[in-house]
Amino acid sequence: MQVILLERIAKLGQMGETVKVRDGFARNYLLPTGKALRANAANKARFEAERSILEARNLERKAEAQTVADVLNGKSFIVVRSAGETGQLYGSVAARDIVDVLAAEGFNVGRNQIELNNPIKTIGLHNVTMHLHSEVEISIEINVARSSEEAERQSKGESLTSADAIYGVDEDALRPEDFFDPDADRDGDDE
């Protein structure tokens, strides 16, 4: 299906371009969300009549997104989750969790604006890309840790996925004698 784009869409085209897309993509996404019009003579005339309004609205949205991006870009947010000794999370951190963390800090972003191909499943520092506008892309850091103290240690560059980091024990220095008493009574008698 041929459509006229009403705004810039990544990997598809710029505002005002007539592009060919699959029917389902046009019917289920582009047309209902107001991002495109069917390409016919009446809609082409309508687009040309409204072009200046659409461009002004696009510039306004871009300016709003840019102000939010200036505040958010490069910021770090802490997410506290339960994890095993190896750093594997018992759950995961998904886009909706990141939206909740940002909302708690006073930023209103949508789940679809966060580019997270796979959920975060380990503790550590993770960079997450956000698309606030089709032309505004930023990166934030998500610090996933077991506690806020661990998050602070991670932010200083410390790795918390070993027994040494978690318990303060150097696991390479441990010997069998550290785990049992070689002089203990073996037959179970207390004599």
Side-chain angles (χ1 to χ4, degrees), residues 131-142:
H131 299 282
L132 300 176
H133 183 267
S134 58
E135 300 172 27
V136 179
E137 180 179 303
I138 62 166
S139 178
I140 61 171
E141 183 177 68
I142 301 296

Side-chain angles (χ1 to χ4, degrees), residues 149-180:
E149 293 83 24
E150 283 190 2
E152 189 175 317
R153 288 169 55 194
Q154 278 184 155
S155 65
K156 293 177 182 173
E158 192 175 335
S159 173
L160 299 177
T161 58
S162 67
D164 180 28
I166 299 167
Y167 302 113
V169 177
D170 185 9
E171 57 191 18
D172 295 332
L174 295 176
R175 299 178 314 272
E177 297 84 40
D178 296 333
F179 294 102
F180 64 91

